[in-house]
């Protein structure tokens, strides 16, 4: 076997991922790999009903089963004041149901036993007497008069309403609409989907009664945020709680929130005095842990006859499930949805969002979403195509006509976002050149003559990532500044400690590359430590593609601080003034005399030696920083999807997919491309295959990966990627985040392509997922439409 040499650039550039050496050898250490001495196993009894009163729970038979160590119910938790926990969206969530169950598969009891099998057997022995209640399985029903009240635990609550929230200038928007030549409206559903990482959620909790220290290994994207929540809930100081997020097998947003399982592992460990592991199976993960979207949107677009878009007006009904557990640390109840004007220069825009409770699993947002930008981009990109349909204009031409122009940056949108930088027409032009757009349109027309239906779909997106500026962000009162610590050892090797936590994005490589770029130390000589609150500085974790925008900036700054210290040490070594030194990656040399130089490794050794340093300069070579981002970064991209649709079977074949992404300066282009590949596959999954469906009794219809489909290589074409580079002006290395870009941008391209193919049938819109049966129905003029209450 030949092993390809792993190129190690001294900074930015393509380089194999450092972490892969352990992953491909099976040496990863995931939560389920953790075995502690005497460890017990916990499992949940879950509700078969979506809405039912709990009359009684009898745990005696389960408790009597040999090997069972504890059976915990909501009543047990009530005595500890732990039956309810706070969510990240200022709501409460039942840890175990006490009064009633509010969604199917809600957690009702927790058995702790010697092993997983005994725990599962014991669940069968618990007897629960339920009294079924009428179910609200649909967002519209939730607001109907007389609808059963789901959250009657909240004092005085008489309906299922969570919030009403508006953004933009409604008066001005209405005025622009009234004066416009063309107005089109469409009802667009972004269905409920699920992030579905390979690794489900789990935790191992270990409470040490002697020291009073609680250690929790858990599948979390945000170890410090979780620790703060545990500290607040338990009334323990943070240093008595250690949250370790070991290797994580994908998160995609689903591992931001805190789930009852984490809390029960902790309670189980406190009650039994032993470490307790809880690990979900796939069915539990799909039905009870997180979900995304469920946005029922109505968009209206106002324009001139020749296609100049004037305004957008949007109404949304947002289904949040039984508890508002949205992993959405923003100051706005609808997250960043009000970025919905997308990449276009409009005069006015306004939105109204109403959030409701339903008898479905709680959560919301998470799934490479940038806190609702996914829904916002999908809506505006669908509306542009609807307008193109009505105006009989080419959708690429309509976009070109309305994109924000490069000279307009920094650009303030009608709803108050300040986009930092961009050249949108350039990205769209590049995508069109790559796909040979005019030639494709000619091919499409020619095919149609032969009765073949091909479609070309375009989407253009602007993302806002890097949570974030204090004016936008808030998680339980905490701001979004993240720390970084860098220590260069005497031998010139370094360790970087970060608050963010990778779930597969390659942080151990890219963050080492940032230090390498700044200090000229090889990335192979830089260890990135993360995912352990005892070993890393405070910060709020990885989501909203914030690691590069926030901790990437912190890393560059902390490395520059070290470099400044190195300059002083070098000046003492070379006996010149620091101002007489010049930096060249990896060394300082005397201006005009490059032979008089000291490498960073020599400087590191000297910094730890008996070298006399100037007054007030401490030795060693290390630094810390806290980075508080002044703004989000705004990556963008132009995507074009080409499909062939068989109207007789409804089968869609994605033939080509061109993705031009601009995430500013790329640290590791190979990793960026990998992020984009993954997101594009997500887009195909959501556009064509995925739906978290429920029947009217609230029964889950997609509880396994046989029903809830994940795209495979068979559904994905060979991706064709392009790039433009517009650095972020406020980021120290000009980088913008990219982790969610393709998931945000791609569904609209796929849907627009399918609907473009169906245009000859007069189809203007059909909702995701465009499964064969839904496409077939659309061709027959009977598209499945969600019956929306809003107007
Ligand atoms: N990167 C780069 N140059 C840039 C931007 C990013 O080289 N200009 C690199 C980064 O340094 C990092 C990766 O690309 O190694 C992604 O960076 P970033 O955009 O900062 O996103 P985060 O690291 O904060 O990751 C979070 C983001 C989110 S929110 C979801 S959801 C998602 C995603 O990443 N979940 C993922 N991508 C995922 N990829 C994997 N494999 N697994 C997940 O769970
Ligand atoms: Cu929205 S999913 Mo990612 O922010 O963890």
């Amino acid at each position: 076997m030949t092993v390809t040499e792993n190129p190690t650039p001294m900074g930015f550039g393509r380089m194999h991922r450092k972490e892969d050496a352990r992953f491909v050898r099976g040496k990863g250490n995931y939560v389920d790999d953790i075995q502690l001495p005497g460890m017990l196993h916990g499992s949940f009894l879950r509700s078969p009903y979506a809405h039912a009163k709990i009359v009684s729970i009898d745990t005696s038979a389960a408790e009597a089963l040999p090997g069972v160590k504890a059976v915990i119910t909501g009543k047990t938790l009530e005595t500890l004041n732990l039956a309810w926990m706070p969510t990240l969206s200022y709501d409460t969530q039942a840890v175990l149901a006490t009064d009633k169950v509010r969604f199917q598969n809600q957690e009702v009891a927790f058995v702790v036993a010697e092993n997983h099998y005994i725990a599962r057997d014991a669940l069968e022995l618990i007897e629960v007497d339920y009294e079924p209640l009428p179910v609200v399985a649909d967002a519209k029903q939730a607001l109907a008069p007389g609808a059963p009240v789901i959250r009657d635990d909240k004092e005085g609550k008489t309906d299922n309403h969570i919030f009403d929230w508006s953004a933009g200038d409604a008066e001005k928007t209405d005025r622009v609409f009234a004066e416009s030549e063309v107005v089109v409206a469409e009802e667009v559903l972004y269905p409920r989907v699920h992030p579905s990482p390979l690794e489900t959620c789990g935790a191992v909790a270990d409470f040490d009664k002697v020291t009073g220290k609680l250690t929790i290994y858990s599948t979390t994207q945000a170890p410090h945020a979780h620790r703060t929540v545990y500290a607040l809930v338990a009334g323990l100081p943070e240093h008595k709680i250690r949250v370790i997020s070991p290797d994580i097998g994908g998160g995609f947003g689903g591992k931001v929130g805190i789930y009852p399982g984490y809390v029960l592992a902790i309670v189980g460990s406190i009650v039994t005095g032993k470490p307790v592991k809880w690990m979900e199976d796939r069915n539990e993960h799909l039905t009870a842990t997180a979900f995304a979207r469920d946005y029922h949107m109505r968009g209206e677009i106002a324009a001139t006859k020749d296609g100049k878009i004037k305004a957008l007006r949007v109404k949304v009904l947002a289904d949040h499930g039984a508890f508002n557990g949205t992993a959405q640390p923003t100051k706005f109840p609808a997250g960043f949805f009000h970025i919905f004007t997308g990449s276009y220069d409009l005069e006015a825009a306004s939105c109204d969002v109403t959030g409701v409770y339903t008898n479905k699993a709680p959560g919301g947002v998470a799934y490479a979403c940038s806190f609702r930008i996914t829904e916002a981009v999908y809506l505006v990109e669908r509306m542009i195509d609807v307008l193109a349909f009505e105006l009989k204009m080419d959708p690429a031409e309509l976009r070109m006509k309305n994109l924000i122009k490069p000279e307009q940056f920094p650009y303030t949108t009608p709803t108050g976002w300040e986009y930092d930088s961009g050249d949108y027409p350039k990205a769209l032009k590049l995508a069109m050149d790559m796909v040979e757009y005019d030639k494709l349109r000619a091919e499409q027309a020619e095919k149609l003559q032969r009765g073949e239906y091909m479609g070309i779909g375009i989407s253009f997106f602007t993302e806002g990532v890097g949570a974030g500026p204090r004016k936008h962000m808030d998680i339980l009162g905490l701001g979004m500044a993240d720390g970084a610590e860098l220590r260069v050892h005497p031998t010139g090797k370094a360790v970087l400690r970060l608050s963010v936590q990778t779930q597969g994005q390659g942080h151990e490589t890219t963050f080492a590359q940032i230090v390498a770029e700044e200090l000229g130390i090889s990335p192979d000589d830089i260890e990135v430590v993360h995912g352990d609150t005892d070993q890393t500085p405070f910060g709020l974790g990885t989501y909203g593609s914030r690691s590069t925008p926030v901790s990437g900036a912190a890393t560059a700054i902390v490395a520059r601080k070290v470099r400044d210290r190195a300059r002083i040490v070098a000046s003492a070594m070379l006996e010149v003034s620091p101002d007489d030194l010049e930096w060249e990656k990896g060394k300082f040399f005397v201006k005009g005399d490059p032979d008089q130089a000291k490498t960073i490794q020599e400087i590191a050794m000297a910094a730890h030696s008996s070298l006399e340093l100037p007054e007030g300069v401490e030795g060693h070579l290390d630094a810390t920083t806290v980075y508080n981002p002044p703004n989000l970064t705004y990556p963008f991209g132009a995507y074009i999807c080409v499909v062939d649709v068989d109207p007789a079977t409804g089968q869609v074949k994605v033939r080509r997919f061109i993705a031009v992404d601009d995430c500013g300066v790329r640290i590791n282009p190979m990793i960026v491309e990998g992020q984009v590949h993954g997101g594009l596959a997500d887009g195909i999954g959501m556009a064509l295959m995925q739906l978290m469906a429920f029947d009217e009794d609230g029964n889950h219809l997609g509880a396994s990966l046989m029903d809830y489909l994940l795209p495979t290589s068979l559904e994905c074409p060979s991706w064709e990627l392009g790039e433009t580079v517009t650095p972020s002006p406020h980021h120290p290395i000009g980088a913008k985040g990219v982790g969610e870009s393709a998931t945000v941008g791609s569904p609209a391209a796929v849907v627009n392509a399918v609907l473009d193919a169906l245009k000859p049938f007069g189809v203007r819109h059909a909702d995701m997922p465009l499964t064969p049966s839904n496409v077939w129905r659309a061709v027959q003029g009977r598209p499945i439409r969600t019956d929306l209450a809003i107007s």
Side-chain angles (χ1 to χ4, degrees):
M1 194 179 88
T2 51
V3 178
T4 324
E5 213 30 54
N6 182 7
T8 304
M10 291 292 271
F12 301 160
R14 287 176 186 276
M15 142 179 192
H16 291 169
R17 302 196 324 171
K18 291 172 62 170
E19 44 270 77
D20 287 347
R22 75 174 181 279
F23 292 144
V24 298
R25 288 172 173 85
K27 293 286 182 195
N29 185 35
Y30 298 89
V31 167
D32 207 22
D33 293 322
I34 289 162
Q35 301 291 345
L36 299 180
M39 189 174 77
L40 303 173
H41 296 258
S43 193
F44 278 114
L45 180 73
R46 293 175 180 277
S47 165
Y49 296 103
H51 203 190
K53 212 173 137 196
I54 297 177
V55 181
S56 64
I57 304 182
D58 183 353
T59 59
S60 50
E63 276 161 19
L65 188 74
V68 169
K69 300 293 176 192
V71 180
I72 300 164
T73 64
K75 291 270 174 265
T76 332
L77 293 184
E78 265 176 351
T79 61
L80 301 166
N81 206 15
L82 277 178
W84 291 82
M85 64 180 184
T87 72
L88 299 181
S89 300
Y90 298 95
D91 195 4
T92 48
Q93 174 171 353
V95 179
L96 286 174
T98 47
D99 49 342
K100 63 177 191 178
V101 289
R102 293 174 169 85
F103 65 95
Q104 190 184 47
N105 267 6
Q106 187 181 341
E107 299 81 1
V108 174
F110 189 72
V111 172
V112 182
E114 273 169 16
N115 64 45
H116 192 66
Y117 307 101
I118 298 175
R120 288 253 154 160
D121 284 349
L123 297 180
E124 306 276 319
L125 301 174
I126 300 175
E127 280 190 30
V128 186
D129 187 5
Y130 293 104
E131 199 177 286
L133 295 166
V135 171
V136 181
D138 169 282
K140 173 199 65 183
Q141 273 177 19
L143 291 181
V149 180
I150 299 169
R151 295 301 302 277
D152 48 359
D153 56 291
K154 291 174 166 249
E155 228 183 282
K157 187 92 187 125
T158 54
D159 61 18
N160 294 311
H161 192 262
I162 309 176
F163 63 82
D164 278 318
W165 181 76
S166 305
D169 185 338
E171 238 171 70
K172 182 172 174 196
T173 306
D174 292 350
R175 214 167 45 238
V176 177
F177 264 87
E179 291 161 3
S180 280
E181 293 170 357
V182 181
V183 172
V184 287
E186 191 56 83
E187 290 186 353
V188 176
L189 170 73
Y190 207 132
R192 178 176 272 236
V193 291
H194 196 283
S196 303
L198 283 181
E199 181 201 35
T200 58
C201 288
V204 175
D206 185 9
F207 180 66
D208 185 327
K209 280 192 170 149
V210 177
T211 60
K213 182 136 181 172
L214 174 64
T215 304
I216 308 146
Y217 302 83
S218 68
T219 50
T220 169
Q221 300 179 211
H224 287 277
H226 280 209
R227 185 182 64 170
T228 305
V229 174
Y230 296 142
L232 289 169
V233 171
L236 287 174
E238 274 93 335
H239 55 263
K240 287 288 184 198
I241 303 173
R242 178 179 188 188
V243 177
I244 299 174
S245 178
D247 286 326
I248 301 290
F252 306 103
K255 290 169 179 169
V256 177
I258 294 182
Y259 299 116
Y262 302 165
V263 180
L264 263 306
I266 296 169
V267 174
S269 180
I270 293 172
V271 168
T272 61
K274 301 272 194 221
V276 172
K277 178 186 280 183
W278 164 75
M279 197 77 216
E280 286 174 328
D281 66 19
R282 181 64 54 184
N283 171 281
E284 293 178 292
H285 187 60
L286 285 172
T287 56
T289 307
F291 75 89
R293 330 291 190 240
D294 224 340
Y295 252 38
H296 305 245
M297 307 180 275
R298 180 188 161 87
E300 287 175 282
I301 193 163
T304 62
K305 275 188 221 143
D306 61 354
K308 177 74 195 102
I309 303 169
K310 300 287 213 187
L312 259 174
R313 195 161 53 193
V314 178
K315 273 194 176 192
V316 180
L317 189 57
D319 184 337
H320 284 249
F323 307 103
N324 188 14
T326 39
Q328 176 182 270
T330 75
K331 287 197 170 164
F332 319 107
F336 289 172
F337 182 78
H338 59 303
I339 202 167
F340 65 89
T341 56
S343 314
Y344 306 100
D345 183 22
L346 309 185
E347 278 176 32
S350 67
C351 72
D352 297 304
V353 185
T354 295
V356 294
Y357 293 116
T358 57
N359 288 117
K360 298 194 218 165
V365 176
Y367 183 0
C369 57
S370 304
F371 320 122
R372 305 289 186 195
I373 297 182
T374 334
E375 290 91 332
V377 165
Y378 180 67
L379 178 69
V380 67
E381 290 306 305
R382 207 58 285 292
M383 291 310 296
I384 300 275
D385 266 35
V386 166
L387 180 65
F389 182 102
E390 291 301 336
L391 295 177
K392 300 190 173 44
M393 259 181 95
D394 181 279
E397 189 195 331
L398 182 57
R399 284 182 172 80
M400 272 298 186
K401 193 165 190 156
N402 291 287
L403 285 174
I404 299 163
K405 295 179 181 49
E407 59 275 14
Q408 288 176 285
F409 287 91
Y411 175 84
T412 305
T413 77
T415 49
W417 297 87
E418 199 187 292
Y419 295 175
D420 56 352
S421 63
D423 189 339
Y424 294 177
K426 186 171 154 193
L428 182 53
K429 171 90 176 38
L430 176 58
M432 289 170 72
D433 289 349
M434 283 172 69
V435 80
E436 296 187 289
Y437 190 74
D438 292 340
K439 238 167 138 177
L440 265 191
R441 285 287 176 205
E443 182 191 338
Q444 183 186 31
E446 187 202 316
K447 281 203 157 142
L448 191 58
Q449 300 290 321
R450 298 203 298 269
E452 290 172 28
Y453 295 85
M454 105 177 220
I456 307 164
I458 304 171
S459 75
F460 200 103
F461 67 90
T462 300
E463 263 257 76
V465 300
R470 291 206 158 112
K471 65 177 174 193
H472 290 145
M473 305 304 301
D474 184 356
I475 180 170
L476 298 172
L478 303 165
M480 292 278 155
D482 280 47
E485 295 173 10
L486 178 63
R487 188 182 303 165
V488 184
H489 305 302
T491 58
K493 316 282 192 255
V495 60
L496 173 72
R497 295 172 191 279
L498 295 174
S499 55
V500 286
Q501 156 65 31
T502 188
Q503 301 97 47
Q505 296 89 339
H507 289 183
E508 287 166 48
T509 308
T510 46
F511 286 87
Q513 287 184 270
I514 298 175
V515 176
E517 177 79 17
E518 296 294 335
L519 293 183
I521 300 173
S522 165
D524 292 335
D525 289 338
I526 300 156
E527 169 103 339
V528 174
V529 175
H530 56 185
D532 181 343
T533 54
D534 268 10
Q535 292 210 48
T536 55
F538 184 80
L540 286 165
T542 291
Y543 42 81
S545 305
R546 68 191 294 275
S547 305
T548 306
V550 183
S551 290
T555 300
I557 288 168
V558 84
R560 286 172 195 178
K561 281 188 176 180
V562 163
R563 199 167 67 201
D564 289 344
R565 176 96 63 87
R567 176 188 289 272
I568 298 168
V569 177
S571 78
M573 292 168 83
L574 292 164
E575 296 177 352
V576 293
S577 142
D579 294 340
D580 290 337
L581 291 175
E582 209 157 307
W583 172 253
E584 185 190 295
K585 208 187 267 187
K587 63 180 178 204
F588 277 109
F589 63 90
V590 178
K591 276 182 194 162
D593 188 1
D595 289 345
Q596 284 242 67
K598 292 290 173 196
T599 65
I600 189 77
Q601 288 80 8
E602 289 166 331
I603 298 168
M605 185 60 85
H608 293 81
S609 74
S610 53
L611 176 78
E612 286 282 328
L613 290 173
E615 187 75 19
V617 178
E618 295 170 352
H620 297 186
L621 202 53
D622 50 29
T624 64
T625 197
V626 176
Y627 184 72
N628 190 11
N631 191 0
L632 299 170
T633 65
Y634 295 84
F636 58 93
Y639 290 178
I640 302 181
C641 178
V642 184
V643 297
D644 295 303
V645 179
D646 180 343
T649 62
Q651 197 75 38
V652 174
K653 171 93 192 142
V654 179
R655 196 204 304 172
R656 290 180 70 189
F657 202 112
I658 283 78
V660 172
D661 271 277
D662 191 322
C663 57
V665 172
R666 295 179 176 211
I667 299 157
N668 186 326
M670 189 177 78
I671 285 182
V672 169
E673 287 163 16
Q675 290 288 300
V676 173
H677 285 179
L680 297 179
D682 280 343
I684 286 189
M686 285 183 280
L688 302 181
M689 304 152 71
Q690 298 179 338
L691 172 69
M692 277 286 152
F694 294 82
D695 70 12
E696 58 195 16
D697 293 325
N699 293 309
H700 218 289
L701 303 178
S704 85
L705 294 182
M706 295 292 284
D707 310 297
Y708 187 78
L709 304 179
L710 301 187
T712 68
S713 58
L714 291 180
E715 287 82 33
C716 298
S718 190
W719 313 113
E720 299 168 61
L721 305 189
E723 67 170 269
T724 59
V725 176
T726 316
S728 167
H730 61 82
H731 189 279
I733 57 172
K736 302 181 178 186
V738 77
E740 298 160 302
S741 289
T743 315
V744 169
S746 61
V750 182
V751 171
N752 286 347
V754 175
L755 293 170
D756 185 53
L758 300 186
K759 220 191 261 168
F761 297 100
V763 180
R764 191 175 87 164
H765 176 71
D767 283 325
M768 296 191 279
L770 293 169
T771 57
S773 70
N774 284 353
V775 170
W776 187 83
R777 280 166 179 272
V779 170
Q780 307 302 315
R782 293 187 287 136
I784 293 193
R785 295 296 306 267
T786 320
D787 189 11
L788 298 176
I790 47 176
S791 57

